[in-house]
Amino acid sequence: MTHDHDLVLRPTEAQIAAALNPPAGRNGGDLVVETLAGLGATTVFGLPGQHALGMFDALRRSDLRYLGLRVENNAGFAADAYGRITGEAAPLLLSTGPGALTSLAALQEAAAASAPVLAISSQIPTAGLGGGRHGYLHELPDQAASFRGVVKSVHTVRTQSQIPSAIEAAWKSALTAPHGPVWVEIPQDVLLAQTSIPVVTGGDAFPEELPPRPELTAVAADLLSRAARPAIIAGGGVVRADASGKLKQLAETLQAPVVTTPGGKGAFPWKHPLSLQSWIEDRHTTDFLEDADVLLVVGSGLGELSSNYHTFKPRGRVIQIEADLGKLESNHPALGIHADARLALQALLETVTEREDGGASPSAPERVREVLAKVADRIDAQELTLEQGVLASVRRALPADSPSFWDMTILAYWAWSAFDAKGPNHMHSAQGAGGLGYGFPAALGAAAADPTRPVLAVSGDGGALYSIAELATARQYDLNVTWLIVDDGGYGILREYMTDAFGEATATELTRPDYVALAESFGVPGVRTTPETLEADLAKALQTAGPSVVVLPAVLRMFAPTHLTT
């Protein structure tokens, strides 16, 4: 009897010939790039350093496309976005010590957002490993320890023969639900030494599936089928699992209103009769969700930003579908289903009974309209026409199929609630880890992933200064990114927070450059706009190939929070 696990792929004659006669001049770095190419990678991001030169030299002998950024953290953000857009593991090549550590904030964001990033770093020579403090340049007692609390998995290499298997295992880990960043480190001497190991000609790293337990989905389907007032919260797991179509089908079958979290933007059609949109930071929405007798939470841990800052207290039965086991029931007791969102939603679709909501009074769409009207009235009462107008101008200027990447800035906080992403995987922000500097380098990664669509980046002037050097990257590779910088002279949201809390702000005001002149010094066209001309200026920039900068001098305000008065 032959079992599936006994089957071995036989090498082709060409593979045998290549193995018996490997080309001269290869080193450990070649094993890295050959393994990546064999696994299907086409593009790598990074920044060279002394210990990593073996990998970068090997790129010269490969067909992999390299995009070099100016700061390792920005290279990590670019890889993060590439992974989100393509669904592939995005290789990120780094050097030992300072270079590696500079990527930590980007890897934290990738982990929080479940973006598949394959970080491969050099290490000090093998003679210095073990924490002996030999004084090698860039030496850390335990470099991998700095990453274990951030990434999904850590893979260490000590010999050249370990390179293909370690990278293959890391690739599989990055793409197994929940997606996330992984870490591989290889000593400098292993990368530089000549190798007689045959050319790596293929890879088999299909991610493991994470199906739901059938007894749990049976209970969940029964609860949902019998619910009088079901509702759904859709998080980033729906987007990562490419499960929006199944979510829509289930919501319509159950006549269940759907709200999307900031990470789940676009997972459900904005204008659908059952769409509560993304106003999860509004008490009217949270009250509605609390009143649901059965609440289905898909692909969200109901963390701070997805629970109106932990003021959301569901009273009905909660069903939570979550691929990250650590997030399952981490905030609320639930029927926890550890599964990939797509597989779990499919199981529910095969089991639930269609609910007839037509006789209910009011019907689900009527209740949705009522909630959205209350939200609109609350916002309109705050006289925030500038902010609403700016966001509307951005939406009208941005093509419906173009992705956008938002830094941690006031306009992004508005977008979390009020921006129609026009589809799944179209709007991305740094709301996972909440670090500054994400928007522009992430947009560069997205433009590298799909050069056929213009990409929008949105930053405040504070966040822009984190990634201003990447204007050189945008110009060098002629990436099709328009960067909107809202210039309010400082860290605007922190200015608001401090003024509200302490009566005045400290350390929030910034001396900043002339962003238009600075962009032009990089060879990137720039324009200074106004709220009245923003739509036209932004649309023109997006329609023009290559990078561009649009600067909007404006002081925007946030809408009043509802979680502080609960």
Side-chain angles (χ1 to χ4, degrees), residues 6 17 61 67 72 90 110 150-152 177 206 303 346 421 437 481 500 562:
D6 293 327
R61 294 183 289 279
L67 271 79
E72 287 87 352
V150 176
V151 299
K152 275 189 70 179
F206 294 105
Q346 179 61 41
V481 175
D500 290 345
T562 62

Side-chain angles (χ1 to χ4, degrees), residues 474-491:
R475 183 72 285 164
Q476 180 172 346
Y477 298 103
D478 200 30
L479 295 170
N480 198 13
V481 175
T482 293
W483 192 7
L484 172 62
I485 301 174
V486 181
D487 185 359
D488 66 359
Y491 301 117

Side-chain angles (χ1 to χ4, degrees), residues 416-465:
W416 290 349
S417 295
F419 192 75
D420 178 3
K422 298 289 186 185
N425 215 24
H426 283 182
M427 179 182 164
H428 304 271
S429 70
Q431 54 85 31
L436 277 173
Y438 172 81
F440 186 54
L444 299 180
D450 183 359
T452 66
R453 299 180 293 176
V455 182
L456 174 67
V458 180
S459 300
D461 53 300
L465 290 172

Side-chain angles (χ1 to χ4, degrees), residues 45-47 69 71-80 92 94 106 441 470:
F45 300 86
L47 202 153
L69 285 89
V71 182
E72 287 87 352
N73 201 49
N74 295 336
F77 285 143
D80 167 306
L92 172 65
L94 302 166
E470 305 310 338

Side-chain angles (χ1 to χ4, degrees), residues 188-202:
Q188 177 190 27
D189 55 321
V190 175
L191 289 170
L192 288 175
Q194 296 294 301
T195 186
S196 59
I197 294 176
V199 173
V200 183
T201 56

Side-chain angles (χ1 to χ4, degrees), residues 546-565:
S548 58
V549 171
V550 177
V551 181
L552 173 65
V555 177
L556 305 181
R557 295 183 298 141
M558 272 304 295
F559 51 82
T562 62
H563 65 280
L564 299 177
T565 56

Side-chain angles (χ1 to χ4, degrees), residues 380-434:
D380 291 344
Q382 297 174 49
E383 298 180 356
L384 296 164
T385 54
L386 170 63
E387 291 76 8
Q388 290 177 290
V390 167
L391 195 63
S393 293
V394 173
R395 181 61 277 173
R396 289 192 297 267
L398 182 66
D401 64 343
S402 283
S404 57
F405 292 82
W406 304 68
D407 216 329
M408 296 295 284
T409 186
I410 287 177
L411 193 60
Y413 303 158
W414 269 92
W416 290 349
S417 295
F419 192 75
D420 178 3
K422 298 289 186 185
N425 215 24
H426 283 182
M427 179 182 164
H428 304 271
S429 70
Q431 54 85 31

